[in-house]
């Protein structure tokens, strides 16, 4: 109920009702190809005969919730840009089978064929607001007892269509009684309740048949009445009118919750501005970032160089979204307003930035299988992409940031044997044990390169090993959450 929308079919030719949502294979990570399902948009052959799909005609209204969204291209190597496509799973409507799937776009992807006629029940009650709730008719086992309730609903059909998502008719099992609730908790092996039984129990129904009016998000019951009570009160329309104060309170609460969410969205930026000001006041001239965990997933090496290339859901290794890493970097590095759009220059007083990483341990860790093993070149390629991605997220030039940042990789895993005396890598600090935290070798090297003392250095850490390395090097550390 929280995510329902009422859709109107805008296309005169209608829209096909698909049997399922097509799912791209894991190797394509959200990318559909035209051939995956385009042939299923009109029908399919069954037993040698063509079976067309059912259609929702133009102008009809569908009750649905969004089921999935993907990017679609004509072919795997197509030069054309991928087109975003959305699928909705239908739960109600006239003249078609529920649980069918509709596609938001036209078969040639040129234009949408569906428009949102009513917003989601999770809306905030702004212009148009969510509908007045959802009616549930709980029917008795005796069909004659249900007739008055069904008559009331039939007479109020126009009001229900205008004010509510619709009506769901459920029939609890014959064993449902007012005393059954106690039996469920006292019997050693109580009977298995049906879905309809659970709905009746959830809302405290005492007798059947009964009409329930649920809030737009389904979280609580706004009104309950037997057929006799509903008729005496003036019918379904009067029942809906009784719920208006509750709905107004509901919408006010949702609007307040939305306001709090919007305010909380500014909190990372506010914390970042305060933190950046504090670091400048404390004279911090070098900020060392533990990359694995603070800026990217420790194991994942799939990294896009821009947020646009990562896609709307950003399914890649970059981890700057949920933490305060990107807001803090924007405040430390970007000239002008941190919230301004576009690419800006680096601040004249921006601290030096060092990235430390142990992604290179996958070059030598004996516990990593052949498929998970990385080459030194692959590790450096991930590092190059990360710097460009950080520049894109922060809003500074990639070349400028590449010239401002230095990398300190650790390639020799603590679990790996020492390099042989004849190994040419043995003399490189990146291949020494002193570079593997909790040893402070990376921090010492960064401070030496930038000419910054420990008192003016800060490590942005991820775990206890990082903080142990900071303590050994005599530098301060903070954790990014």
């Amino acid at each position: 109920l929280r995510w329902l929308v009422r859709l109107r079919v805008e296309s005169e030719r209608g829209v096909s009702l698909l049997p399922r949502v097509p799912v791209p294979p894991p190797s394509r990570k959200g990318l559909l190809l035209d051939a995956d399902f385009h042939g299923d948009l009109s029908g399919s052959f069954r037993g040698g005969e063509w079976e067309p799909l059912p259609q929702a005609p133009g102008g009809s209204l569908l009750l649905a919730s969004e089921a999935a969204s993907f990017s679609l291209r004509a072919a795997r190597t197509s030069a054309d840009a991928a087109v975003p496509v959305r699928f909705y799973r239908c739960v109600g409507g006239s003249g078609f089978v529920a649980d069918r799937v509709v596609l938001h776009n036209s078969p040639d992807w040129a234009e949408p064929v569906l428009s949102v006629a009513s917003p989601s029940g999770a809306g905030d009650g702004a212009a148009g607001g969510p509908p007045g709730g959802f009616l549930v008719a709980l029917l008795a086992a005796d069909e004659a007892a249900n007739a008055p309730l069904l008559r009331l609903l039939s007479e109020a059909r126009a009001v229900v269509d205008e004010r509510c998502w619709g009506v769901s008719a459920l029939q609890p099992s014959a064993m449902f009684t007012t005393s059954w609730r106690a039996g469920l908790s006292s019997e050693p092996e109580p009977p298995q309740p049906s879905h309809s039984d659970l709905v009746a129990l959830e809302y405290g129904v005492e007798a059947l048949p009964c009409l329930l009016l649920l809030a737009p998000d389904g979280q609580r019951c706004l009104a309950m009445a037997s057929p006799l009570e509903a008729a005496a009160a003036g019918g379904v329309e009067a029942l809906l009118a009784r719920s208006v104060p509750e709905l107004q309170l509901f919408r006010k609460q949702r609007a307040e919750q939305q306001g709090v969410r919007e305010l909380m969205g500014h909190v990372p930026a506010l914390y970042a501005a305060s933190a950046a000001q504090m670091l400048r006041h404390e004279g911090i001239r070098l900020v060392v970032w533990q990359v694995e965990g603070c800026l990217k997933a420790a194991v994942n090496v799939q990294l896009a160089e821009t947020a646009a290339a990562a896609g709307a859901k950003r399914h890649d290794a970059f981890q700057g979204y949920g933490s305060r890493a990107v807001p803090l970097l924007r405040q430390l590095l970007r000239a002008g307003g941190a919230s301004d759009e576009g690419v800006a220059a680096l601040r004249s007083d921006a601290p030096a930035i060092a990235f430390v990483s142990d992604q290179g341990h996958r070059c030598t860790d004996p516990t990593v299988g052949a498929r998970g093993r990385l080459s030194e070149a692959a590790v450096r390629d991930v590092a190059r992409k990360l710097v460009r991605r950080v520049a894109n997220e922060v809003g500074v030039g990639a070349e400028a940031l590449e010239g401002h940042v230095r990398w300190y990789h650790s390639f020799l895993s603590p679990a790996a044997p020492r390099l042989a005396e004849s190994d040419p890598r043995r003399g490189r600090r990146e291949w020494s044990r002193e570079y593997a935290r909790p040893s402070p070798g990376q921090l010492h090297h960064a401070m030496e390169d930038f000419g910054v003392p420990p008192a003016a250095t800060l490590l942005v850490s991820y775990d206890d090993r990082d903080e142990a390395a900071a303590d050994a090097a005599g530098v301060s550390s903070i954790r990014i959450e």
Side-chain angles (χ1 to χ4, degrees):
L1 284 174
R2 288 178 62 85
W3 309 115
L4 285 179
V5 292
R6 185 178 282 121
L7 303 171
R8 179 179 289 108
V9 180
E10 301 290 352
S11 173
E12 293 183 0
R13 60 187 174 187
V15 61
S16 296
L17 299 163
L18 310 176
R20 60 180 178 83
V21 176
V23 179
S27 61
R28 288 201 233 118
K29 294 186 177 180
L31 176 65
L32 280 171
L33 300 183
D34 204 355
D36 285 337
F37 73 106
H38 198 285
D40 297 335
L41 290 177
S42 56
S44 60
F45 282 99
R46 291 183 181 274
E49 294 186 3
W50 178 253
E51 184 176 309
L53 286 173
Q55 299 283 312
S60 59
L61 293 174
L62 315 177
L63 194 60
S65 61
E66 186 170 340
S69 59
F70 303 109
S71 296
L72 182 133
R73 261 200 327 241
R76 183 189 295 266
T77 58
S78 173
D80 297 332
V83 177
V85 292
R86 292 201 306 276
F87 296 88
Y88 290 88
R89 188 174 301 281
C90 300
V91 298
S94 58
F96 68 95
V97 181
D99 207 34
R100 288 280 182 160
V101 174
V102 289
L103 177 65
H104 181 258
N105 305 67
S106 61
D108 57 3
W109 323 118
E111 60 183 9
V113 295
L114 300 171
S115 65
V116 177
S118 298
S120 166
D124 61 5
F134 191 83
L135 285 168
V136 177
L138 290 168
L139 305 179
D142 181 5
E143 293 299 336
N146 295 325
L149 177 59
L150 298 176
R151 189 178 303 112
L152 284 172
L153 290 172
S154 177
E155 293 170 352
R157 179 170 180 175
V159 175
V160 169
D161 287 343
E162 179 184 354
R163 294 281 305 278
C164 295
W165 285 129
V167 182
S168 178
L170 302 177
Q171 191 167 42
S173 59
M175 59 185 173
F176 179 85
T177 63
T178 54
S179 61
W180 190 42
R181 182 191 299 271
L184 285 175
S185 59
S186 60
E187 293 184 19
E189 294 185 6
Q192 179 67 37
S194 69
H195 171 252
S196 300
D197 295 335
L198 292 175
V199 171
L201 289 168
E202 172 70 20
Y203 293 108
V205 173
E206 296 292 335
L208 299 175
C210 179
L211 187 63
L212 304 178
L213 175 63
L214 305 185
D217 64 352
Q219 296 300 301
R220 64 181 186 272
C221 180
L222 300 179
M224 180 189 308
S226 67
L228 187 59
E229 291 170 337
V236 175
E237 185 172 3
L239 183 69
L240 294 174
R242 274 170 45 191
S243 68
V244 168
E246 281 269 8
L247 283 171
Q248 290 174 338
L249 177 61
F250 167 80
R251 289 173 175 169
K252 180 181 178 182
Q253 291 172 342
R254 296 308 294 262
E256 291 173 348
Q257 292 169 2
Q258 180 65 23
V260 171
R261 283 194 294 270
E262 291 175 357
L263 180 62
M264 292 300 293
H266 297 294
V267 167
L270 295 174
Y271 271 116
S274 175
Q277 185 176 3
M278 180 194 71
L279 295 182
R280 295 188 190 101
H281 178 74
E282 295 293 327
I284 298 297
R285 294 188 286 123
L286 170 61
V287 181
V288 183
W289 289 77
Q290 158 58 307
V291 168
E292 314 305 325
C294 291
L295 289 173
K296 66 173 289 293
V299 176
N300 194 347
V301 297
Q302 302 298 322
L303 196 65
E305 294 187 15
T306 66
K313 295 189 177 179
R314 299 182 176 180
H315 290 316
D316 67 351
F318 190 71
Q319 283 190 328
Y321 311 113
S323 72
R324 297 173 184 150
V326 167
L328 179 57
L329 282 166
R330 287 179 72 91
Q331 293 286 345
L332 290 173
L333 298 176
R334 196 174 190 274
S339 61
D340 295 343
E341 297 296 328
V343 177
L346 290 173
R347 290 178 62 107
S348 58
D349 61 349
I353 300 293
F355 284 167
V356 298
S357 169
D358 55 12
Q359 182 89 66
H361 288 177
R362 291 179 61 186
C363 299
T364 57
D365 191 340
T367 65
V368 174
R371 294 185 62 182
R373 190 68 58 87
L374 296 177
S375 66
E376 183 175 341
V379 172
R380 296 190 187 279
D381 184 59
V382 173
R384 178 189 62 81
K385 290 179 178 177
L386 181 65
V387 173
R388 300 186 74 85
R389 178 60 170 277
V390 169
N392 177 257
E393 298 283 351
V394 171
V396 297
E399 292 75 14
L401 188 61
E402 286 172 338
H404 191 77
V405 169
R406 292 189 184 182
W407 277 89
Y408 299 88
H409 293 283
S410 174
F411 288 105
L412 187 62
S413 166
R418 289 187 176 274
L419 299 177
E421 292 286 346
S422 58
D423 195 316
R425 300 171 297 181
R426 187 178 175 89
R428 295 164 54 190
R429 284 185 283 192
E430 294 174 318
W431 289 85
S432 69
R433 294 225 183 271
E434 289 71 27
Y435 251 46
R437 295 178 308 282
S439 295
Q442 291 171 312
L443 295 175
H444 284 313
H445 194 183
M447 289 187 288
E448 177 186 324
D449 283 349
F450 287 104
V452 177
T457 301
L458 176 74
L459 172 66
V460 181
S461 66
Y462 176 66
D463 57 23
D464 294 341
R465 294 182 308 135
D466 304 329
E467 293 173 359
D471 289 341
V475 305
S476 302
S477 67
I478 59 170
R479 286 199 189 190
I480 285 287
E481 296 179 354

